Each structure stands twice: as structure tokens, then as C-alpha cells.
Amino acid sequence: MFITFEGIDGSGKSTQLTMLREWLEAQNKSAIVVREPGATKLSEELRAILLSNKHTITSTAELLLFSAARTQLVEKVIRPALERGDIVLCDRYVDSTTAYQGYGRQLDMAEVEACNRIAVQGLMPVVTFFIDVPYEEAQQRMQFLVNSAEPDRMERSGKQFFDRVRQGYLTIAHQEPTRFVVVDGVRPAEAIHLDIIQQFQSVSLRF
């Protein structure tokens, strides 16, 4: 089973992914956790480039670099794991590109979708949890992170950008209601976690 978590930076999606992994382990079910971009040597190196404040990257180059990292992750990690029958939890996936580069950077959506098709090779999650949090709330959370580092290149993109990204996610949710689950991320983490477990159990019954 392939499950992804989405949300703007600071939404708490990574926290919810970790909580689901821990819950699965408590049920004696192991899960492989991966992140985007990352989880392979090449993808991690591309991640460092994409998030570094040292680089000025055009929007199109950004799209292609994220897509390259995703292709490597799909071919080397996710697809083999699914073929073994593993549960895969992924922190970001193709919807991030649609939301960030398509809606956020306002690139041509047909070109974004073409890159996405090549990158995922038909492999889509059975369920995607979108942790929905307004930009202001996400920023406040990030400011209170212990030992928080300097904002990376993507995090510096500003309110208008992240508002477009959030609306992009909501548009995807409207277009794909059977896969995309919108979760109110403003609530306490445990309440969100219980909702995700309920949704996960519902999806599991179909597999």
C-alpha cells in the first residue's frame, strides 16, 4: 500500500506521517518511510541543491530537478518496496510538484503534468493526506521549532506563493476526491492522527 502526505511547509505533515508509522508498528505492521526529494543518494544530492540558498534556480529547472529526484525514488525504492508487499509512507510526492511548481510558480500546467507522468511512471498512491493549514499558522509553527535552521530556498518563497500552493492542493482535492483526503491541520496533532487512522482503516478494507 502506497500512502502520501502533503501540505505547505510547516503544516505538520511530517509529524502525522511519523505518528502513522508508529501506530502501524504498534499493530505489528512495518512501513517504509521515504521523503521527497530524497531517499536515494542522487535524490538527496538534488534535494541539497534545490533547498540551498546558495543557488538561483529558474522555475523550469526546479520542476525538472524535482522530477528527476522523484524518478530515481520511484525506480529504486518505492516500486520495489510495493512489489515486496511493503507499506510505503512518502513525505511529499507528485502532488507537491503540481501544487508548488504548477500553481505556486505558475508554470504551464500541461508541461507540469507531462513531467509528472514521466516521473511517476503510472505509480500513484492509494490515498493522499493533505494536512490543510493556512500560511500564517504554518509560519507561526515554524518560528517555534526548537533549534530551527535558517529558512531554505523554498521556505523563503513568501505568502502569495504559499497561498497559491494551498489553493492548488485544494483544487487537486476537488478533482480527485476518492484519493485526496483534506485534513483540518489546525487542530491538536492527536485529533488529526485519529482522523488519519480512521481513513487509513477505511482504505485498508479495500485492499
Side-chain angles (χ1 to χ4, degrees):
M1 184 182 298
F2 183 25
I3 300 169
T4 59
F5 284 77
E6 296 285 353
I8 65 172
D9 297 73
S11 64
K13 61 177 176 52
S14 301
T15 296
Q16 291 302 321
L17 185 152
T18 299
M19 293 176 76
L20 179 58
R21 175 184 60 78
E22 292 173 350
W23 180 83
L24 287 168
E25 290 176 350
Q27 311 300 311
N28 295 315
K29 297 179 180 178
S30 62
I32 293 175
V33 173
V34 295
R35 68 176 181 176
E36 276 224 352
T40 72
K41 186 176 186 299
L42 173 62
S43 300
E44 290 290 346
E45 290 176 355
L46 290 173
R47 179 188 183 90
I49 293 170
L50 281 160
L51 300 186
S52 173
N53 291 310
K54 298 178 181 178
H55 300 292
T56 299
I57 303 175
T58 70
S59 296
T60 301
E62 182 180 273
L63 166 67
L64 295 172
L65 287 170
F66 274 115
S67 298
R70 179 169 303 121
T71 298
Q72 189 79 353
L73 176 62
V74 167
E75 293 183 3
K76 296 295 185 180
V77 180
I78 297 178
R79 194 180 295 280
L82 293 173
E83 289 173 351
R84 293 193 302 266
D86 295 333
I87 297 173
V88 177
L89 306 180
C90 190
D91 188 338
R92 297 199 181 282
Y93 193 56
V94 69
D95 298 301
S96 281
T97 294
T98 302
Y100 276 72
Q101 283 70 55
Y103 290 96
R105 300 295 190 211
Q106 299 180 303
L107 292 176
D108 182 273
M109 196 59 72
E111 294 180 354
V112 172
E113 291 173 354
C115 285
N116 287 345
R117 284 194 300 272
I118 295 170
V120 303
Q121 304 169 39
L123 182 61
M124 292 296 290
V126 296
V127 62
T128 296
F129 294 109
F130 168 53
I131 314 302
D132 185 28
V133 172
Y135 172 78
E136 292 79 7
E137 173 70 18
Q139 286 294 298
Q140 187 175 21
R141 292 180 181 183
M142 292 176 69
Q143 289 173 4
F144 282 98
L145 288 176
V146 178
N147 298 322
S148 59
E150 175 187 6
D152 64 38
R153 193 184 65 83
M154 296 298 295
E155 292 168 347
R156 290 173 179 269
S157 298
K159 175 175 167 45
Q160 290 186 341
F161 171 80
F162 281 106
D163 283 345
R164 291 195 300 270
V165 171
R166 182 188 178 204
Q167 288 305 311
Y169 276 125
L170 293 173
T171 299
I172 299 168
H174 178 74
Q175 294 170 342
E176 299 192 51
T178 59
R179 174 176 69 87
F180 224 77
V181 177
V182 179
V183 181
D184 179 2
V186 179
R187 298 169 299 151
E190 187 60 34
I192 299 169
H193 174 57
L194 293 175
D195 278 356
I196 288 173
I197 289 174
Q198 184 178 24
Q199 292 287 344
F200 172 82
Q201 290 173 325
S202 176
V203 171
S204 296
L205 294 175
R206 305 202 306 262
F207 292 87

